Amino acid sequence: MQQSEEPGDDLVDAVMTASRALLAVVVRSLAAVDEDVTLPQYRALVVLAQRGRVRPAELAAALAVTPPTCTRMCGRLEAKGLVVRERPAGDRRAVDVSLSPAGRDLVDDVSRRRRDELRTLLAGVPTGRRAAVVEGLRSLAEAAGEVPEPDWAVSGVAR
């Protein structure tokens, strides 16, 4: 990926403002489905939905948290019935983490609510400017290393 000059304050300010709006959509969508799941926990569920069964160290790296933090988070999510921790055959020391059916349902429900709210929000963007929004947001997601939405949400990787 080719990098360009350092972004100016106008770009940073625009993304900061947009991120507040997008975070509000996520918070409302999550609260409507399950008030007991925190945003960091929901992020872990989304990563598991994207990647399927993973080792806790891989999940911790994806979330940019320490392995002990990830272990505690997985314990809380397991207690809520949203993830499953299993030992793979042939390796008694290893543990894999994956979404439970309830965890997959939660991610799907929140995603549906987010999509609905985003459709309403984006209806306010003038038609002639939508292609520029798509291009800009795709560039931002790519720079952040995010998996494109259709690649995981529609296909249901972790089902």
Side-chain angles (χ1 to χ4, degrees):
M1 177 181 350
Q2 184 180 8
Q3 290 198 338
S4 57
E5 65 188 53
E6 185 174 316
D9 287 343
D10 58 337
L11 177 58
V12 173
D13 291 346
V15 172
M16 291 285 293
T17 302
S19 70
R20 285 194 311 271
L22 295 173
L23 181 59
V25 170
V26 173
V27 169
R28 286 190 299 269
S29 300
L30 180 57
V33 172
D34 189 333
E35 292 183 6
D36 292 333
V37 174
T38 67
L39 282 175
Q41 290 171 344
Y42 177 69
R43 177 70 181 143
L45 296 175
V46 168
V47 169
L48 291 172
Q50 291 171 335
R51 298 181 182 197
R53 183 180 309 264
V54 298
R55 298 280 164 97
E58 182 182 342
L59 180 58
L63 298 173
V65 299
T66 64
T69 296
C70 186
T71 298
R72 286 189 300 274
M73 182 183 300
C74 287
R76 290 181 186 114
L77 290 169
E78 184 178 38
K80 294 175 184 185
L82 300 173
V83 301
V84 176
R85 290 192 282 190
E86 299 174 297
R87 296 202 182 279
D91 190 348
R92 295 182 336 179
R93 294 172 294 155
V95 174
D96 288 339
V97 181
S98 62
L99 285 180
S100 70
R104 183 71 221 196
D105 288 346
L106 185 139
V107 170
D108 289 347
D109 289 348
V110 172
S111 293
R112 267 191 297 281
R113 289 175 183 275
R114 285 175 57 207
R115 291 180 79 78
D116 290 346
E117 189 167 343
L118 287 170
R119 279 190 204 296
T120 301
L121 178 69
L122 291 167
V125 175
T127 305
R129 297 176 72 184
R130 291 179 185 174
V133 172
V134 169
E135 183 180 342
L137 290 175
R138 283 185 178 156
S139 295
L140 182 63
E142 183 179 306
E146 284 294 321
V147 175
E149 191 71 11
D151 290 354
W152 74 272
V154 175
S155 63
V157 167
R159 286 200 189 256

